[in-house]
Amino acid sequence: MNKRLIGAISAGALLASGVGGAVALSADASTGSGAAAKTHTWKFNAIQKGSHSLSKKTFAAVDVDKHKGKVVGYDTISGTFEPSTQTTTIFVAVARKGGILYGKIGATGPSTDFTGKVTGGSGDYKGATGTISTHELPNGNTTQVTVKWSN
């Protein structure tokens, strides 16, 4: 796997990456009858700070997450790339005040845009569910991340 792809995958995570560390930039309350869960939307840029190939098909990376130049969290990822199917799968942990949010994202082919699901969390994010989407910016080491979650 080449460095550009690793960078794209790493940045694409966070959260991941994932996910990855974030602050709620906007929060929308669900409306309706009964006890509705509050839905949160986080938007931030994940800036790759380090990555490493662990084997021919696996990698790990860490990002600092920023909004308007201010650090709002951190994320770490672990992923696999399957050359035969051109499929990338990434597990992400997004650390921020109150706990850690977990997610799993993926993409097929040369895409550097990843989508996936929030799979849980710890602390304030225990039982979290939702979606994660990412879009790599042209500089190759920064990815826009959107996380929508509730618990």
Side-chain angles (χ1 to χ4, degrees), residues 65-79:
D65 302 326
K66 292 186 175 186
H67 176 67
K68 295 184 180 179
K70 181 180 176 186
V71 174
V72 295
Y74 296 88
D75 65 77
T76 187
I77 66 164
S78 175

Side-chain angles (χ1 to χ4, degrees), residues 28-77:
D28 304 307
S30 298
T31 58
S33 61
K38 186 174 183 177
T39 300
H40 306 271
T41 301
W42 296 345
K43 294 183 180 185
F44 56 90
N45 287 337
I47 302 161
Q48 182 181 358
K49 291 301 178 183
S51 67
H52 185 72
S53 292
L54 303 173
S55 72
K56 288 182 180 180
K57 296 182 181 181
T58 62
F59 55 90
V62 62
D63 301 326
V64 61
D65 302 326
K66 292 186 175 186
H67 176 67
K68 295 184 180 179
K70 181 180 176 186
V71 174
V72 295
Y74 296 88
D75 65 77
T76 187
I77 66 164

Side-chain angles (χ1 to χ4, degrees), residues 92-142:
V92 60
V94 178
R96 64 163 293 191
K97 182 179 178 182
I100 300 173
L101 189 78
Y102 306 121
K104 179 181 177 184
I105 60 175
T108 301
S111 177
T112 56
D113 293 349
F114 290 77
T115 58
K117 295 184 177 187
V118 172
T119 60
S122 68
D124 292 347
Y125 314 111
K126 186 175 182 177
T129 59
T131 61
I132 303 170
S133 61
T134 71
H135 174 73
E136 182 184 1
L137 297 179
N139 70 7
N141 77 335
T142 303

